[in-house]
Amino acid sequence: MIPFDFEYFHPSTVQMAVDLFQNLQRQGKRPMYYAGGTEIITFARVNSIQPGAVIDLKSIPECNVLAMQKDILVIGACVTLSALSEADPFPLLSAAAQGVADQTSRNKITLGGNISGKIHYREAVLPLLLANSRMVIAGTQGIRVTSIHKVFNQQMRLTSGEFLVQVLIDRDDVSLPFAYFKKREIGHVGYPLVTVAALRKNDEMRTAFSGVCAFPFRSAAIEQVLNDSSLPITARIERATGKLPASLLDNVEGSAAYREFVLKQTMADAVHRLERR
Ligand SMILES: Cc1cc2nc3c(=O)[nH]c(=O)nc-3n(C[C@H](O)[C@H](O)[C@H](O)COP(=O)(O)OP(=O)(O)OC[C@H]3O[C@@H](n4cnc5c(N)ncnc54)[C@H](O)[C@@H]3O)c2cc1C
């Protein structure tokens, strides 16, 4: 049960959503954009958020697009993880989507909600970081299109009232050789101990991680070391582990020491997989 009342809005255009947010904000209603609702409902049930209003983005047509338009794959922020893996326009993203939660939850969880969420993992962002995708963002100034690297730094950095409308990925990047490994302590559902996503483009390997630190990340320093083929793989992995952007996550999913052990194994698996192709 959610222990407080809130208003529910479902605008049918981008502009209506932006205007609603501003109006509700002015009225002191602490509005939140709402997509699959899985995280919002979980947090509301335990009273860790108390929005006075939610603005459901799922009726906005632009947020539901999933199509190749000319040479660009356009994915609406409200496309669910199930729909993404079923259509499979970007196999690395399908692999990431399929690793999140269970089928019933994936029928609700959206791409935009996953990458904008507050829980550490946000695994669907990894392929988007590797593909240097662009983000279509709506706000009071209209629509802006910007590199994911400008808006996603550990988490989405949107200004108040902005929301993610779509993600754009170049056609050339959706079919590159990839590796995706998600390691959990037990079972096939649930948050990761370590997730490693990797793509190979122009003989260079790109890597992104979730579960390792308290946020998902792609690191130029780690990629530089992993691509240094003058070193044996074990030395590359050792050096890459020394270049993590923050301390290793230590929580119920696993201790920092265990994560480090699993990370090294998983990085080696990814390097072997991509160097063999
Ligand atoms: C059983 C279970 C297991 C899970 N396991 C994993 C896992 O292993 N790995 C993983 O990464 N995730 C996992 N998740 C998913 C994760 O924890 C979140 O619940 C989910 O990603 C939220 O997506 P949503 O579409 O439901 O977003 P919502 O709950 O609707 O929103 C989440 C947040 O994003 C914001 N938001 C939503 N859409 C937009 C938008 N378009 N623009 C800007 N802000 C927006 C909301 O305001 C809110 O702050 C799991 C979830 C469940 C239920």
Side-chain angles (χ1 to χ4, degrees):
M1 198 190 85
I2 295 178
F4 56 87
D5 290 334
F6 59 92
E7 292 173 52
Y8 172 83
F9 297 89
H10 53 111
S12 55
T13 68
V14 168
Q15 193 58 51
M16 280 165 75
V18 169
D19 293 345
L20 259 173
F21 191 98
Q22 298 307 317
N23 291 338
L24 292 163
Q25 177 105 307
R26 270 194 293 275
Q27 293 166 41
K29 295 207 169 139
R30 303 176 310 282
M32 284 184 82
Y33 290 119
Y34 181 102
T38 58
E39 185 177 293
I40 291 182
I41 291 170
T42 305
F43 285 176
R45 280 185 178 142
V46 295
N47 237 337
S48 71
I49 54 169
Q50 293 98 16
V54 298
I55 302 169
D56 192 335
L57 302 173
K58 290 195 294 293
S59 302
I60 300 173
E62 291 90 331
C63 293
N64 290 295
V65 173
L66 178 53
M68 191 62 84
Q69 295 178 355
K70 296 195 178 147
D71 281 333
I72 295 171
L73 173 64
V74 182
I75 308 177
C78 292
V79 172
T80 64
L81 299 189
S82 304
L84 262 178
S85 41
E86 205 177 299
D88 198 21
F90 179 12
L92 174 55
L93 184 57
S94 304
Q98 266 171 320
V100 169
D102 53 277
Q103 179 68 39
T104 309
S105 302
R106 288 195 297 271
N107 290 342
K108 292 204 185 104
I109 296 170
T110 63
L111 181 64
N114 184 259
I115 69 181
S116 307
K118 300 287 171 279
I119 296 175
H120 301 311
Y121 306 102
R122 304 185 277 273
E123 290 175 276
V125 82
L126 304 182
L128 306 181
L129 291 169
L130 297 179
N132 294 333
S133 56
R134 294 178 301 288
M135 309 215 119
V136 180
I137 293 163
T140 50
Q141 308 297 312
I143 296 273
R144 64 185 175 108
V145 180
T146 186
S147 161
I148 189 170
H149 303 298
K150 293 211 168 116
V151 279
F152 193 95
N153 179 6
Q154 303 187 357
Q155 59 182 21
M156 284 293 275
R157 311 265 172 194
L158 300 178
T159 59
S160 172
E162 283 190 325
F163 69 93
L164 179 67
V165 180
Q166 292 172 337
V167 176
L168 311 177
I169 302 154
D170 290 338
R171 183 194 286 272
D172 289 349
D173 292 331
V174 299
S175 50
L176 294 169
F178 72 90
Y180 190 83
F181 295 99
K182 175 168 180 170
K183 304 278 173 71
R184 302 176 186 83
E185 193 174 30
I186 39 167
H188 298 291
V189 175
Y191 294 115
L193 266 177
V194 165
T195 299
V196 177
L199 263 187
R200 203 182 68 198
K201 184 167 186 180
N202 303 331
D203 281 333
E204 292 276 298
M205 189 162 44
R206 301 174 180 179
T207 48
F209 304 85
S210 171
V212 176
C213 301
F215 49 84
F217 65 91
R218 177 179 170 192
S219 154
I222 290 178
E223 285 176 11
Q224 196 181 9
V225 175
L226 291 180
N227 280 300
D228 182 355
S229 53
S230 68
L231 294 171
I233 288 182
T234 44
R236 285 189 257 162
I237 301 294
E238 206 52 49
R239 287 196 192 178
T241 309
K243 294 193 179 292
L244 294 177
S247 52
L248 281 144
L249 196 56
D250 194 328
N251 64 9
V252 288
E253 260 74 53
S255 67
Y258 186 47
R259 278 197 150 91
E260 181 173 340
F261 170 75
V262 177
L263 172 64
K264 287 178 177 168
Q265 298 277 329
T266 316
M267 271 200 278
D269 291 343
V271 174
H272 281 299
R273 170 82 56 92
L274 284 186
E275 290 195 343
R276 244 188 280 126
R277 295 182 67 161

